[in-house]
Amino acid sequence: MISETHELNVVEIDKRLVSHLGEKYKNFSNLKIINDSILKINLEVFGENLRIVGNLPYNISSSILFYLNSFSHLIIDSHLMLQKEFVDRMVAEPGSSKYGRLSVMIQNKWDIKKIFDIEPESFNPKPKVSSSFISMWLKEESIVPKEFMQQFNFIVRKAFQQRRKKLRNSLKEVFNENQISIAGINSNLRAEDLKITD
């Protein structure tokens, strides 16, 4: 993460890599290496106008992205390498089988662009999956106002928990059919059919 004062804060959980990086870049005065999980760090300690650059661990990418999302007010942009299948879900459009809770929650706050794909042959050792590099820019204003985010998150989670169910069934604990209709939504649709604005 590079702050507006051009400090480079590197977060790495692997102690061996921390030692290697510390030795290799010991003459860089603006570099701080933190041996910890990004999920345990309060990003507020780095100030505002952060720029995130990283190769996220594929097995916890979703957890990290939702965590970063909670600090979106501090972040200008993010440039990340992730598993290709995961990125395809992030940028998915309504109506696609890949469109889900991740797509909705990330696209609510971020403009996302897939820059390029990276094939397994680019790595040594070669992984079993393809990767993608993306850039994300914080929207000037999220689609859903901040004061409604808790409710929005709850509804989106409920709607996609059993994604093949129609809205009248997946949201029956929250709304009845009439309330869904009053909102201008067809209760026979599924969550994957709805745009964020819906």
Side-chain angles (χ1 to χ4, degrees):
M1 287 166 293
I2 305 174
S3 71
E4 61 179 339
T5 54
H6 306 295
E7 293 173 347
L8 180 60
N9 297 286
V10 176
V11 180
E12 175 55 59
I13 199 168
D14 189 325
K15 289 183 179 179
R16 295 168 301 172
L17 275 176
V18 168
S19 177
H20 170 74
L21 292 170
E23 181 61 30
K24 185 171 183 178
Y25 299 107
K26 60 186 176 185
N27 296 324
F28 285 69
S29 59
N30 65 339
L31 172 66
K32 182 179 180 183
I33 303 172
I34 302 158
N35 184 200
D36 209 339
S37 164
I38 188 66
L39 296 174
K40 294 180 180 177
I41 294 175
N42 182 349
L43 299 190
E44 291 177 350
V45 300
F46 302 121
E48 298 180 335
N49 299 323
L50 302 178
R51 314 194 81 170
I52 311 291
V53 179
N55 172 16
L56 303 190
Y58 291 178
N59 60 327
I60 56 169
S61 295
S62 185
S63 298
I64 294 176
L65 276 172
F66 279 113
Y67 188 69
L68 291 178
N69 212 28
S70 67
F71 291 99
S72 60
H73 59 289
L74 303 175
I75 301 170
I76 298 173
D77 52 26
S78 300
H79 309 275
L80 309 168
M81 186 171 77
L82 300 150
Q83 185 174 338
K84 180 181 182 296
E85 181 183 339
F86 187 83
V87 168
D88 289 343
R89 287 168 49 210
M90 289 176 67
V91 300
E93 296 291 330
S96 162
S97 61
K98 294 178 181 177
Y99 183 75
R101 178 173 175 247
L102 175 69
S103 322
V104 171
M105 299 309 295
I106 296 297
Q107 292 176 29
N108 174 56
K109 288 187 177 181
W110 303 90
D111 289 317
I112 311 166
K113 182 177 182 182
K114 183 198 280 195
I115 307 300
F116 52 80
D117 293 328
I118 308 165
E119 296 307 317
E121 290 74 22
S122 301
F123 301 90
N124 187 16
K126 184 169 76 171
K128 295 179 180 178
V129 298
S130 295
S131 305
S132 295
F133 189 80
I134 63 164
S135 289
M136 300 168 50
W137 297 271
L138 187 66
K139 294 179 188 288
E140 285 190 23
E141 193 172 328
S142 61
I143 297 170
V144 177
K146 185 178 179 181
E147 60 266 31
F148 296 118
M149 277 307 300
Q150 187 174 347
Q151 298 97 315
F152 180 65
N153 188 32
F154 175 76
I155 291 167
V156 171
R157 187 186 294 116
K158 279 284 184 188
F160 281 104
Q161 258 176 353
Q162 298 179 47
R163 60 180 300 131
R164 297 312 301 159
K165 282 193 172 184
K166 294 177 180 179
L167 292 171
R168 67 169 182 258
N169 295 317
S170 62
L171 294 178
K172 65 182 177 183
E173 294 176 26
V174 189
F175 306 112
N176 61 43
E177 272 191 73
N178 187 49
Q179 289 170 318
I180 296 172
S181 297
I182 289 171
I185 304 294
N186 183 344
S187 63
N188 286 315
L189 295 175
R190 296 181 173 91
E192 67 188 39
D193 299 316
L194 301 183
K195 297 178 289 188
I196 301 174
T197 49
D198 294 329

